Amino acid sequence: MPTLQVRIIRWKVTPSPFLNKEEILKDIILTGDRPTGRLHLGHYVGSLRNRVRMQEEANYDRMYVMIADSQALTDNFDNPGKIRENLIEVALDYLSVGLDPNKVTFFVQSQVEELTELTFYFLNLVSLSRLERNPTVKAEIKLRNFETSLPAGFIIYPVSQAADILLFDANIVPVGEDQEPMLEQAREIARSFNNIYGETFIEPKAVLPEEKIARRMPGIDGAAKMSKSLGNAIYLADDKKTLKKKVMSMYTDPDHINIDDPGKIEGNIVFTYLDVFAKDSHFERFLPEYENLDALKAHYKRGGLGDVKCKKFLIKVLEDELEPIRQRRAQYEKDLDSVFKILEEGTKKAREKGRSKIEEVKKAMGINYFEDKDLIKFLEEKYK
Ligand code: TRP
């Protein structure tokens, strides 16, 4: 008499038609952010800019951008109001940088129930000690003082993140380098699921920004990372006055006291930012006495060039990048109804995909009892 165990093994050798490699012509891109605050220049340089570029290259089948509110709740469970408010702020930031709802499917994590369902099945495939080894989560536990009382939901969030990615068959995940451990775990989970239940998931890969500097934008205080919690961020939604104030307060070279002193470029945040944003055309327009950034740096190093002049130039360069973003944001701010509609429509689309994938998953696991005629046949055989 056949046992169910045997059946599952047989399924393993029948790959799902979706996974036929020739059939995957184009990438499925998925990425997301926790809605815990407005997005800043670090997000912009590290990922948003990249996403807009990918959107324009149009070399994908589907591009999803998810607002990870459920994940944000894993360490903000006692402050849901913060998540509720920032959901729309993040959506506004997405639209303001030029992500286009006609090309990108925006959706809200908590509203796709299939994600929660998949997470529960994935949890069986991961050991607690493996979860405890994730270096990003380790650092976050320290940072949040979770050492003595660690919420179970928090330690397992990488499993939920694996579900975010795998439910949509995403193969490309553009993220910052701190997310690489999450992708690693997602690949392990995909592999483990495929081994046990049969080929169902693609192993996704992280795509990091090419330029090294874009991987970790420093804060205006010179700290290694721009971050909301450190209070050293320039936000996409900052107005002109705020931007100016922040740049004028930027960390430069503490030994560059008199204008005539030679200055240092390394660790000088003004120059770090100019490296990222300044183009030759900016010199033509705003600082024609220098041909390019190399010429400006040379003068600074030699001595005779003041910080204020460099900062004023940087303000103009940043304004050039941020003003169109601000304007687009202002338009959407006046039309919040349509922003919610965009999220709602995108979420609907994401759920359709989620539902069909979860059916595939349940079938692979043999828990699709009511659609499975084989199961009845098997039982009939057993009781014959
Ligand atoms: N963990 C990511 C962050 O903190 C957000 C996120 C949740 C995500 N799910 C994702 C990113 C899936 C990429 C893919 O920024």
Side-chain angles (χ1 to χ4, degrees):
M1 195 198 299
T3 65
L4 268 177
Q5 183 60 30
V6 170
R7 231 164 244 285
I8 286 173
I9 288 167
R10 189 173 59 74
W11 289 335
K12 187 154 86 177
V13 295
T14 322
S16 111
F18 188 87
L19 286 172
N20 186 338
K21 289 275 188 301
E22 274 89 76
E23 278 181 36
I24 306 170
L25 295 174
K26 285 183 171 175
D27 293 330
I28 296 178
I29 303 170
L30 183 138
T31 183
D33 302 277
R34 297 182 194 179
T36 52
R38 291 175 165 191
L39 302 180
H40 53 60
L41 272 189
H43 298 114
Y44 182 66
V45 170
S47 76
L48 294 173
R49 220 166 49 163
N50 232 356
R51 292 180 202 173
V52 176
R53 209 202 62 229
M54 283 182 159
Q55 162 187 289
E56 295 312 321
E57 282 170 359
N59 196 18
Y60 51 85
D61 185 40
R62 273 271 175 104
M63 183 164 167
Y64 297 97
V65 174
M66 179 186 73
I67 304 184
D69 62 332
S70 307
Q71 187 176 112
L73 281 168
T74 63
D75 62 339
N76 289 279
F77 48 85
D78 53 355
N79 194 3
K82 173 169 146 191
I83 309 305
R84 190 176 152 84
E85 184 181 339
N86 283 304
L87 181 88
I88 199 72
E89 295 292 348
V90 168
L92 284 167
D93 285 331
Y94 288 159
L95 294 165
S96 70
V97 297
L99 286 172
D100 176 353
N102 294 313
K103 298 175 178 163
V104 172
T105 306
F106 297 104
F107 71 96
V108 180
Q109 186 185 27
S110 62
Q111 308 304 300
V112 180
E113 292 147 40
E114 289 77 6
L115 287 171
T116 322
E117 198 174 345
L118 188 58
T119 302
F120 195 63
Y121 301 135
F122 281 175
L123 280 168
N124 297 327
L125 309 177
V126 185
S127 71
L128 260 183
S129 61
R130 174 64 184 91
L131 287 166
E132 283 162 0
R133 275 203 311 274
N134 183 312
T136 299
V137 176
K138 250 190 189 165
E140 287 173 325
I141 288 172
K142 260 215 174 109
L143 208 70
R144 286 163 181 65
N145 285 320
F146 278 164
E147 283 126 320
T148 47
S149 172
L150 176 61
F154 186 77
I155 185 87
I156 64 113
Y157 90 73
V159 181
S160 142
Q161 186 158 337
D164 298 339
I165 298 164
L166 300 178
L167 186 71
F168 296 96
D169 290 317
N171 60 328
I172 300 284
V173 183
V175 281
E177 61 185 343
D178 63 330
Q179 297 297 302
E180 182 55 57
M182 311 301 163
L183 269 291
E184 184 83 45
Q185 279 197 278
R187 284 191 290 272
E188 283 173 25
I189 289 170
R191 218 172 296 145
S192 168
F193 190 102
N194 291 348
N195 271 329
I196 299 170
Y197 306 112
E199 287 294 324
T200 308
F201 294 110
I202 299 165
E203 289 185 29
K205 75 168 191 270
V207 175
L208 307 178
E210 274 161 39
E211 322 103 88
K212 193 135 200 282
I213 172 66
R215 296 184 184 186
R216 188 151 297 186
M217 197 65 185
I220 57 172
D221 56 353
K225 197 178 173 191
M226 180 177 286
S227 114
K228 180 179 49 224
S229 45
L230 295 175
N232 62 6
I234 292 177
Y235 292 93
L236 292 173
D238 278 350
D239 60 22
K240 273 195 169 68
K241 226 177 103 195
T242 310
L243 178 77
K244 189 170 168 201
K245 215 173 101 203
K246 287 183 177 174
V247 174
M248 292 315 280
S249 77
M250 253 182 195
Y251 181 85
T252 57
D253 170 7
D255 301 324
H256 186 239
I257 295 159
N258 301 306
I259 288 191
D260 289 334
D261 293 341
K264 262 202 307 292
I265 305 291
E266 301 77 42
N268 185 325
I269 303 303
V270 172
F271 284 97
T272 312
Y273 279 48
L274 286 174
D275 271 329
V276 176
F277 291 104
K279 304 182 195 115
D280 288 356
S281 61
H282 287 134
F283 283 92
E284 235 168 90
R285 286 161 61 203
F286 308 133
L287 202 60
E289 65 257 49
Y290 299 91
E291 205 188 323
N292 54 30
L293 190 53
D294 288 338
L296 189 75
K297 282 182 181 170
H299 192 181
Y300 192 81
K301 282 199 262 195
R302 222 167 37 237
L305 173 57
D307 284 342
V308 169
K309 188 165 181 175
C310 300
K311 286 178 170 175
K312 284 191 168 154
F313 176 59
L314 176 59
I315 290 169
K316 287 186 178 142
V317 168
L318 287 176
E319 275 297 328
D320 196 44
E321 189 93 21
L322 294 180
E323 180 55 22
I325 294 176
R326 251 184 237 136
Q327 280 178 12
R328 226 176 283 134
R329 198 180 210 278
Q331 265 170 2
Y332 280 110
E333 282 170 359
K334 276 186 263 157
D335 191 11
L336 292 174
D337 265 355
S338 78
V339 179
F340 273 102
K341 265 268 143 47
I342 288 168
L343 292 182
E344 199 179 343
E345 289 295 309
T347 301
K348 218 184 265 169
K349 257 206 231 164
R351 280 209 69 182
E352 275 166 31
K353 168 67 191 172
R355 202 161 311 142
S356 83
K357 189 71 188 180
I358 211 82
E359 274 169 26
E360 196 190 329
V361 166
K362 286 178 144 172
K363 190 168 170 211
M365 294 175 73
I367 56 171
N368 58 334
Y369 313 112
F370 303 131
E371 279 86 55
D372 187 1
K373 303 282 178 288
D374 284 354
L375 177 60
I376 297 180
K377 256 193 248 145
F378 165 81
L379 290 170
E380 282 170 351
E381 188 82 5
K382 178 173 165 185
Y383 288 111
K384 219 193 252 165

